[in-house]
Amino acid sequence: MSCLPNEDQEGNLSNVDVESEDELTSESNLEEEVNLEDFFMKETGHLQMLAHRLLLYYSPLKLKLNTYQGNMYFISKIVGLEEFQLEPQGIPSPQKAFAQLSCLLAAVTPLHNTAKLDERLYPVLEQRPSHSLKIPECLLHQQHHTSSAGETVTLHVYSISISLVPDSDEFKECFGRCYSDHRIQCYGLLTHLPLPPHLPMFDIFPRYGTATVQVRCEGTIEVDLKRMPLYRWFQEALFTHVLSLENITYRHDIIIKDYLILPLCKVIEQDQRCCYRIANPFLLELYHKWDTNKRNWKYKTLSGGDISEPLDMILVQTYRFGSQTNTEECPSYEVMSNSQAVFIATGVSDETPDSYLRPRESEQGVTFREYFREKYNLEVSNPDAPLIRVRHISKKYNMLWKRSDTIRTDFLILEFCGVHPFPASLFNQATCLVTILWRVETFALTHELFARIPPLRDRQVPTASDPARLHLNQYFVEEGHLRDRLRRDEEYTGSICWMDLLQCITTKGCQESFDLERLEFLGDSFLKYVTSLFLFQAMPGHSEGDLTAIKSRVVGNKNLAVQATRYLDLPRYVMTKVFYPKKQWFPPYHLPTDFRDTSIASDDGTIATGIKFQWEEYCKDIPTDYKHPYQVKDIADACEALIGLCFSKYGFRVAVEFLDYIDLMGNVKTYLLVDFLYTPCSYKGNNSRLIPETLAQLEEKLGYSFRNPALLLEAVTHSSAHVEGTSYQRLEFLGDALLDILVVCHIYPLHTDFQPGQLSDLKSFLVRNTTLGRICLQLGIHTHIIHSSESVKKKDCSSNLCFCAGDAE
């Protein structure tokens, strides 16, 4: 462990010539005993820093100081660590400060040895494998089910309805057709544990328009466990052989995500109540079209006379793969590779195989018949059959933002195509499932985080918007003076929507349409102001330099990240990576192909099935591509965004309660924050000085009369005036933070379209020395500065007067 800087070791403790500790003990006298949090509030420098590190992990503690040999030597001890089997004691020293310093060093050494503090004695952010894998607890595997005759399991059923607003009328029926044989309505999400209540609607962006998704609870259903193999097979068929997700493998022996995606049909009960049921006949029909040996589909062939409009089918180019196999029941082609293109049939065209292909610029036109004869050595058997008009189905499954793709119409010869077992309407909905499931997973993570924050959880469940979008709370746009809103005693009854919370855990690296940076900008200013006010009030004997150093440690990224991890487990929820579904997301009953199985191998090298789910162990075996890496700054920014959310939606008091809950200053009594914020300032200034008559003129310029003029006098006294115990530096420390939050609260709702960088630039411009100095000149404040230096600038008193005018009542 690194030692402290040399300037704090002038006593050279190792050279103190004292007798043995046993001899000293008999002559000891108790000099003092102080609570460590009071010691932290009183001391400065490294003594305060080490006390703060201990308070992060232990409470309550006391610091004892004993004297020996007639007050010639001091030995300090920490009391309160006995349950941890620790009894730290310092080195005997003739200097009280060094005895305490060595004791604190001895106390923090175990924290360093256990990797809770780094080489510079900064807190170390705890990182667990499960933090990087963003899977909510309600969708994790809970236990292994074994089928037995007549045994059932209760599943929660959620319908996934998709309403499309197409970019063109030709796309309006992409999700609208129903598979009439079995009345398939939509897909359903079936879970063992309930999802969060009141999931909001949200928008996704397929190639052909904007779709609004609603995931709605339809109650519970009893499922016979004998049907579970069929339902699990459908997961493989859907995600591996319909959506063709890459780098995943179907695994029935190791389950991490334990939910099902199944087609639902609508039925009318005897009491005329409409409800959803699993479309079992449709699933059985699909299974009969499955090649169990090759683990893929067989595709039916059609002739030109077999089709009629409207079409509801998906076509594949069978001439590119396999060999034809004919049976009496159903002529079909063998399986194709997952990389094969698929098309949705949109209608029967007027074109025939003798029509010309669209030529390239440098080519002469050729007919469809000539093209297939020359390229594939295929002859068209029915030249009069019409061509099928089709659109290519994209395999870009990230639909979180709008894409500007060109959708081209193509033509296919029907006898060279196979028909996919899935109807087109269900296939189109399936292409949206990956994005929908990702959003549901992130909503569930958001709800988990919400439940861990008592200041929010105890007030209101997140509200569902229609659809869920970010909104500006009325806290900032109410009538009234901004200062009154900052210091109100009543709690603001705002509301939080799902997207507000999701915004707080989404970093800019995710490339979403929203991120945490605006709320982080607001929370950062609020945090600095509250911390400044607390330190200013609680540490009246500390200079402006000491307060600034303490503030830097308290609001620093490491302190925020460590405390947010300890109390909120925040790294588990923060997302830092772009959603890349084909290679960085895996569906239920699947695992990444590179999953290593190291944590579940039995003694004989085989994989144990039916074992109790070990979440942390499994996470170690997931490849890094599927994880969200995070840094200390990511967690600190998310914490500040949550602070900003509490402040903007619920007001001052709830944001302070949040800071109190995460124990921002360790085990220091931060509940005093509320007292400091909602009671008149106890700071009275230096009342021993005579008040110049000119200050009345300054009050007239400011338009405010101070009940305690000594406070105003201190605000205009420069340090060069050499007045004992009086200069404006401490007030400047507080005024700077107050001015910052006032400006931020003004520009934040005023410029809703500004990026955080623009807001920061605007704030810097408004609070810069030049701006404040110009205001002082316009008001004539510079003439009232008390100083003994010609180099004093007119900017010096501006931020101090901001404090006086705002908090001297």
Side-chain angles (χ1 to χ4, degrees):
M1 183 175 64
S2 62
C3 60
L4 297 176
N6 291 333
E7 61 266 25
D8 286 318
Q9 301 182 23
E10 298 174 356
N12 195 356
L13 301 179
S14 59
N15 293 331
V16 176
D17 185 16
V18 298
E19 303 178 32
S20 68
E21 184 178 335
D22 293 338
E23 295 179 357
L24 290 176
T25 302
S26 60
E27 304 176 13
S28 65
N29 294 303
L30 179 62
E31 176 72 14
E32 64 179 46
E33 180 178 286
V34 60
N35 291 329
L36 195 61
E37 59 184 65
D38 295 331
F39 181 82
F40 164 78
M41 304 295 287
K42 182 180 65 174
E43 295 296 333
T44 60
H46 292 302
L47 287 173
Q48 185 186 66
M49 182 269 289
L50 292 173
H52 177 255
R53 300 298 185 257
L54 284 175
L55 289 170
L56 287 176
Y57 297 96
Y58 307 115
S59 178
L61 297 179
K62 291 185 177 181
L63 183 65
K64 283 188 175 183
L65 189 68
N66 291 73
T67 60
Y68 298 87
Q69 295 184 350
N71 296 337
M72 292 182 62
Y73 302 105
F74 297 91
I75 292 182
S76 185
K77 297 180 181 180
I78 295 287
V79 178
L81 296 176
E82 292 77 11
E83 62 177 303
F84 303 99
Q85 298 181 347
L86 297 175
E87 296 182 1
Q89 178 173 297
I91 301 173
S93 171
Q95 299 184 29
K96 175 181 175 181
F98 289 121
Q100 294 170 331
L101 183 65
S102 65
C103 178
L104 292 172
L105 277 172
V108 300
T109 298
L111 294 175
H112 173 266
N113 294 339
T114 55
K116 292 183 178 179
L117 298 178
D118 62 15
E119 291 297 317
R120 299 182 62 190
L121 299 181
Y122 281 107
V124 174
L125 181 64
E126 179 186 8
Q127 299 196 22
R128 299 199 303 267
S130 61
H131 282 162
S132 299
L133 202 59
K134 309 305 176 184
I135 304 176
E137 292 182 2
C138 61
L139 298 180
L140 288 175
H141 180 55
Q142 301 299 320
Q143 65 180 21
H144 187 81
H145 295 282
T146 57
S147 178
S148 63
E151 188 177 353
T152 62
V153 62
T154 302
L155 297 179
H156 299 265
V157 181
Y158 297 85
S159 61
I160 303 174
S161 59
I162 307 174
S163 302
L164 178 68
V165 179
D167 293 336
S168 173
D169 289 341
E170 63 179 307
F171 306 132
K172 64 183 180 181
E173 293 187 355
C174 284
F175 302 139
R177 299 187 184 99
C178 295
Y179 195 51
S180 58
D181 290 350
H182 303 294
R183 301 187 302 279
I184 304 300
Q185 297 295 324
C186 60
Y187 285 100
L189 173 63
L190 286 79
T191 64
H192 291 278
L193 297 177
L195 293 175
H198 313 301
L199 286 175
M201 293 188 292
F202 55 93
D203 290 341
I204 61 174
F205 304 95
R207 300 173 67 200
Y208 27 81
T210 299
T212 299
V213 180
Q214 183 175 18
V215 180
R216 185 172 57 191
C217 180
E218 304 293 347
T220 60
I221 187 173
E222 294 294 325
V223 175
D224 191 336
L225 285 179
K226 292 185 292 185
R227 290 190 179 273
M228 290 299 287
L230 175 64
Y231 298 158
R232 291 178 180 177
W233 160 81
F234 184 75
Q235 310 310 300
E236 177 187 8
L238 175 64
F239 291 105
T240 307
H241 303 291
V242 172
L243 299 180
S244 303
L245 297 179
E246 301 174 7
N247 300 327
I248 60 172
T249 304
Y250 171 73
R251 298 290 293 268
H252 62 84
D253 55 342
I254 308 171
I255 303 171
I256 292 184
K257 292 183 179 180
D258 194 6
Y259 60 91
L260 296 167
I261 298 297
L262 296 173
L264 299 182
C265 59
K266 185 179 292 186
V267 297
I268 306 298
E269 299 287 357
Q270 293 181 352
D271 58 358
Q272 302 302 312
R273 185 168 49 88
C274 179
C275 62
Y276 286 89
R277 292 290 183 265
I278 301 172
N280 289 311
F282 174 68
L283 290 174
L284 290 172
E285 179 182 320
L286 285 179
Y287 187 73
H288 291 153
K289 298 176 183 179
W290 177 260
D291 189 317
T292 56
N293 295 323
K294 297 187 177 181
R295 310 295 301 172
N296 215 321
W297 305 106
K298 288 187 176 182
Y299 299 88
K300 182 180 178 181
T301 59
L302 295 173
S303 64
D306 294 334
I307 61 173
S308 60
E309 295 193 271
L311 303 179
D312 190 19
M313 59 185 182
I314 300 295
L315 300 178
V316 295
Q317 299 164 309
T318 53
Y319 56 84
R320 292 181 178 273
F321 58 89
S323 59
Q324 186 174 5
T325 60
N326 294 295
T327 64
E328 293 183 0
E329 296 181 357
C330 179
S332 61
Y333 279 83
E334 294 182 359
V335 296
M336 67 174 183
S337 67
N338 286 340
S339 61
Q340 178 68 40
V342 293
F343 301 86
I344 179 173
T346 59
V348 180
S349 73
D350 296 330
E351 307 288 337
T352 67
D354 291 325
S355 300
Y356 283 93
L357 286 166
R358 289 175 292 190
R360 297 178 182 176
E361 295 180 359
S362 60
E363 295 179 353
Q364 296 181 351
V366 296
T367 64
F368 285 89
R369 185 204 295 248
E370 294 169 342
Y371 174 80
F372 280 94
R373 180 189 302 124
E374 295 174 4
K375 188 171 183 65
Y376 298 104
N377 196 25
L378 294 173
E379 287 293 339
V380 178
S381 60
N382 187 0
D384 296 327
L387 300 183
I388 301 299
R389 188 169 58 250
V390 298
R391 288 195 305 269
H392 175 256
I393 295 180
S394 173
K395 294 184 179 180
K396 296 179 179 178
Y397 298 138
N398 185 348
M399 301 179 185
L400 295 177
W401 57 78
K402 190 74 173 177
R403 299 179 183 273
S404 57
D405 292 346
T406 301
I407 303 178
R408 191 182 68 179
T409 298
D410 291 316
F411 299 92
L412 294 179
I413 299 175
L414 188 60
E415 64 183 271
F416 295 156
C417 294
V419 180
H420 199 286
F422 265 66
S425 53
L426 279 185
F427 202 106
N428 276 328
Q429 291 186 50
T431 60
C432 301
L433 281 177
V434 176
T435 299
I436 292 172
L437 293 177
W438 169 247
R439 184 58 80 213
V440 170
E441 290 177 3
T442 57
F443 279 148
L445 282 171
T446 299
H447 188 267
E448 283 184 25
L449 176 61
F450 178 84
R452 299 181 70 107
I453 307 176
L456 299 183
R457 181 192 65 210
D458 298 341
R459 284 172 171 80
Q460 184 181 12
V461 175
T463 58
S465 51
D466 187 20
R469 293 185 177 93
L470 300 178
H471 65 278
L472 180 64
N473 195 275
Q474 294 298 309
Y475 180 78
F476 284 114
V477 295
E478 289 180 341
E479 295 183 0
H481 199 282
L482 178 59
R483 183 196 64 192
D484 297 332
R485 280 184 274 137
L486 286 177
R487 295 194 56 178
R488 64 173 59 205
D489 290 329
E490 300 84 15
E491 296 179 10
Y492 183 75
T493 55
S495 62
I496 290 178
C497 78
W498 287 91
M499 297 302 285
D500 292 326
L501 285 166
L502 186 57
Q503 182 184 10
C504 291
I505 57 176
T506 304
T507 64
K508 196 173 183 63
C510 295
Q511 298 182 15
E512 290 261 24
S513 58
F514 53 86
D515 57 61
L516 56 77
E517 292 199 351
R518 274 184 61 92
L519 283 173
E520 183 265 333
F521 172 77
L522 178 63
D524 177 72
S525 293
F526 178 81
L527 172 64
K528 290 177 179 177
Y529 166 63
V530 171
T531 305
S532 298
L533 180 56
F534 175 77
L535 296 176
F536 180 86
Q537 293 267 56
M539 299 181 177
H542 288 64
S543 67
E544 182 265 344
D546 293 334
L547 295 178
T548 301
I550 302 168
K551 175 183 173 182
S552 299
R553 287 198 291 268
V554 171
V555 304
N557 286 342
K558 282 200 171 183
N559 188 53
L560 280 176
V562 168
Q563 296 302 90
T565 300
R566 178 180 302 165
Y567 290 95
L568 304 177
D569 202 19
L570 192 56
R572 167 160 165 70
Y573 307 103
V574 176
M575 290 169 284
T576 62
K577 204 171 187 179
V578 178
F579 176 52
Y580 189 21
K582 294 187 70 174
K583 293 184 178 180
Q584 296 175 354
W585 180 85
F586 59 91
Y589 294 94
H590 287 73
L591 287 175
T593 304
D594 297 333
F595 185 79
R596 295 173 295 180
D597 294 349
T598 59
S599 61
I600 53 176
S602 58
D603 294 337
D604 58 1
T606 61
I607 300 300
T609 59
I611 62 175
K612 185 177 180 180
F613 181 70
Q614 299 292 334
W615 172 230
E616 289 287 345
E617 295 299 322
Y618 280 8
C619 290
K620 296 178 182 178
D621 300 326
I622 301 294
T624 56
D625 287 345
Y626 293 82
K627 298 179 180 180
H628 286 241
Y630 59 89
Q631 304 295 329
V632 169
K633 188 179 186 307
D634 298 323
I635 310 305
D637 288 349
C639 184
E640 290 179 335
L642 287 170
I643 296 170
L645 179 66
C646 293
F647 177 45
S648 63
K649 302 303 181 184
Y650 281 112
F652 213 112
R653 183 181 293 272
V654 175
V656 171
E657 289 178 5
F658 176 84
L659 294 177
D660 184 38
Y661 177 72
I662 65 171
D663 217 0
L664 183 64
M665 299 184 186
N667 290 293
V668 179
K669 297 176 181 177
T670 49
Y671 63 81
L672 296 175
L673 281 172
V674 176
D675 297 333
F676 290 157
L677 295 174
Y678 289 94
T679 55
C681 178
S682 61
Y683 185 75
K684 301 301 181 181
N686 188 347
N687 293 301
S688 62
R689 298 176 59 193
L690 295 176
I691 306 300
E693 295 180 358
T694 55
L695 287 188
Q697 302 173 7
L698 178 56
E699 289 180 326
E700 184 177 348
K701 294 177 180 179
L702 295 174
Y704 184 87
S705 179
F706 288 84
R707 290 183 297 178
N708 182 9
L711 198 60
L712 177 60
L713 178 61
E714 183 170 334
V716 296
T717 302
H718 189 262
S719 57
S720 64
H722 302 300
V723 178
E724 183 178 356
T726 302
S727 82
Y728 61 55
Q729 290 180 336
R730 278 178 52 86
L731 291 177
E732 180 190 3
F733 167 79
L734 180 60
D736 179 70
L738 178 58
L739 180 64
D740 186 87
I741 189 63
L742 289 173
V743 170
V744 167
C745 287
H746 176 71
I747 65 176
Y748 182 82
L750 192 63
H751 301 283
T752 57
D753 57 333
F754 274 28
Q755 295 298 316
Q758 295 173 300
L759 288 174
S760 181
D761 291 342
L762 178 58
K763 184 195 74 173
S764 298
F765 174 81
L766 294 175
V767 302
R768 64 178 182 168
N769 291 339
T770 303
T771 303
L772 299 178
R774 184 179 297 114
I775 294 173
C776 286
L777 282 174
Q778 292 173 350
L779 297 176
I781 296 176
H782 63 288
T783 60
H784 298 274
I785 298 177
I786 301 172
H787 64 92
S788 300
S789 172
E790 296 296 329
S791 62
V792 173
K793 305 297 182 182
K794 46 186 170 294
K795 64 180 176 64
D796 289 334
C797 70
S798 54
S799 60
N800 318 325
L801 290 170
C802 177
F803 164 76
C804 293
D807 201 47
E809 294 182 333

